[in-house]
């Protein structure tokens, strides 16, 4: 019974661990999906080899400021001023694009960090899932062993019980045989006693008859010997 209870305990632990394995697996899969989605949004913005080095935003802003100051302080011809205005507009557009790219790079970097974090979390959850699965398998093995031992004990108990029943049946058989023999012996004793009584009665009658014959001879005057006297005494005639 104790082995069966122990097996039930291991089974409960195994089922609990299997539930944890499943929930951990679900978390891991969710983390992997999240990482995959984040990595999809990450663009590999690498400059091509030999591409022209672009000015940083600070340099563009400084150049725009310088050109605007020139526009405001210098007397320019119509054509020169128009070209200056176009150049300022072009620089401002480039500066705006650079700022957008920089912001996108920040967003991409953040997504990449989040994706890598999700991947690390997924790996940690995977390791935890493996650990829980190993523990669940261990509890399962212990459960099987307990059931095996319980079956062995039960089989041994059944064997012992069968031997006990067999011994009890033999004891009952021998007891019945003893009773029968005892009854037969009692009957035989009664028969023997009856036979002995019959023999004694026959002997007594024979002795009496013989004694009466001797007594008749005595009454007729015949001499009696010692043996005759003993027979008379045995017959109860003296």
């Amino acid at each position: 019974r104790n082995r069966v209870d122990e097996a039930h305990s291991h089974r409960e632990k195994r089922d609990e661990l299997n539930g944890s394995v499943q929930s951990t697996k679900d978390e891991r899969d969710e983390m992997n999906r999240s990482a995959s989605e984040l990595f999809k949004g990450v663009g590999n913005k690498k400059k091509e080899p030999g591409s022209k080095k672009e000015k940083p935003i600070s340099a563009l802003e400084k150049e725009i400021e310088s050109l605007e100051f020139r526009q405001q302080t210098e007397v320019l011809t119509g054509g020169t001023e128009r070209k200056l205005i176009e150049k300022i507009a072009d620089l401002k557009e480039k500066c705006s694009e650079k700022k957008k790219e920089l912001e996108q790079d920040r967003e991409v970097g953040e997504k990449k960090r989040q994706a890598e974090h999700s991947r690390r979390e997924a790996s940690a959850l995977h390791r935890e899932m493996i650990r829980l699965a190993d523990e669940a398998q261990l509890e399962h093995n212990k459960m099987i062993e307990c059931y095996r031992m319980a079956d062995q004990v039960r089989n041994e108990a059944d064997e012992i019980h069968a031997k006990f029943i067999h011994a009890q049946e033999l004891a009952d058989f021998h007891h019945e045989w003893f009773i029968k023999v005892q009854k037969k012996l009692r009957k035989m004793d009664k028969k023997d006693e009856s036979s002995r009584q019959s023999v004694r009665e026959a002997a007594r009658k024979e002795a009496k008859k013989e004694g009466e014959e001797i007594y008749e001879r005595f009454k007729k005057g015949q001499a009696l010997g010692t043996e005759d006297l003993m027979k008379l005494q045995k017959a109860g005639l003296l």
Side-chain angles (χ1 to χ4, degrees):
R1 180 62 184 174
N2 290 337
R3 290 294 183 184
V4 174
D5 291 340
E6 189 177 349
H8 289 169
S9 176
H10 287 305
R11 184 177 62 186
E12 289 175 359
K13 289 179 182 177
R14 179 204 64 183
D15 293 344
E16 182 179 347
L17 286 166
N18 281 337
S20 298
V21 168
Q22 185 59 47
S23 61
T24 304
K25 180 179 180 296
D26 293 340
E27 289 183 48
R28 181 205 64 182
D29 293 344
E30 181 60 30
M31 282 293 177
N32 279 329
R33 281 193 294 271
S34 175
S36 297
E37 290 297 323
L38 287 167
F39 275 122
K40 284 180 183 178
V42 175
N44 295 323
K45 294 188 174 182
K46 295 182 179 179
K47 292 183 179 180
E48 296 180 2
S51 62
K52 186 178 178 181
K53 187 176 181 181
E54 297 180 351
K55 292 181 180 180
I57 293 175
S58 59
L60 291 173
E61 288 178 340
K62 189 173 182 180
E63 188 175 356
I64 291 169
E65 185 180 352
S66 176
L67 292 174
E68 286 179 341
F69 180 78
R70 181 184 173 191
Q71 180 190 8
Q72 293 171 4
T73 58
E74 292 183 11
V75 178
L76 303 171
T77 61
T80 302
E81 186 175 8
R82 186 171 56 255
K83 289 181 180 179
L84 187 62
I85 291 171
E86 289 176 356
K87 188 172 183 180
I88 290 171
D90 182 58
L91 289 172
K92 284 184 176 180
E93 185 177 354
K94 286 183 179 180
C95 187
S96 177
E97 289 177 357
K98 291 285 287 182
K99 287 181 178 179
K100 287 180 181 178
E101 288 178 2
L102 183 62
E103 184 62 28
Q104 288 177 353
D105 288 343
R106 289 197 188 98
E107 291 177 0
V108 167
E110 181 61 25
K111 285 183 179 180
K112 189 175 181 180
R113 283 191 293 274
Q114 291 177 1
E116 289 172 349
H117 175 73
S118 295
R119 278 287 165 84
R120 286 194 298 272
E121 287 292 319
S123 296
L125 288 168
H126 181 74
R127 289 192 296 272
E128 178 65 8
M129 183 189 72
I130 295 299
R131 185 187 70 80
L132 291 170
D134 289 342
E135 286 189 17
Q137 184 62 44
L138 182 62
E139 293 296 333
H140 177 77
N141 293 341
K142 288 180 179 178
M143 179 195 72
I144 295 299
E145 179 63 16
C146 286
Y147 277 132
R148 187 191 67 78
M149 294 180 71
D151 287 340
Q152 182 179 352
V153 170
R154 184 163 50 246
N155 291 336
E156 290 175 356
D158 291 343
E159 184 178 351
I160 291 171
H161 182 69
K163 289 180 179 179
F164 170 76
I165 295 298
H166 179 65
Q168 193 174 42
E169 289 174 350
L170 284 176
D172 292 342
F173 171 78
H174 286 297
H175 181 68
E176 290 176 2
W177 177 82
F178 173 76
I179 295 298
K180 289 179 181 179
V181 170
Q182 195 175 43
K183 287 180 179 179
K184 286 182 179 180
L185 289 173
R186 286 175 181 172
K187 288 181 180 179
M188 289 175 65
D189 287 344
K190 288 181 180 179
K191 287 182 180 180
D192 290 344
E193 180 63 25
S194 177
S195 297
R196 285 194 293 271
Q197 287 180 355
S198 297
V199 171
R200 285 196 297 270
E201 182 64 23
R204 188 182 64 78
K205 288 180 178 180
E206 181 66 25
K208 185 177 180 181
K209 181 181 179 182
E210 189 175 4
E212 288 176 348
E213 290 177 353
I214 293 171
Y215 186 69
E216 288 297 326
R217 282 173 23 220
F218 174 71
K219 286 195 299 181
K220 290 178 180 180
Q222 292 183 5
L224 300 178
T226 304
E227 186 178 351
D228 292 332
L229 292 174
M230 290 178 66
K231 288 180 179 179
L232 286 173
Q233 186 178 9
K234 185 177 180 181
L237 296 176
L238 284 180

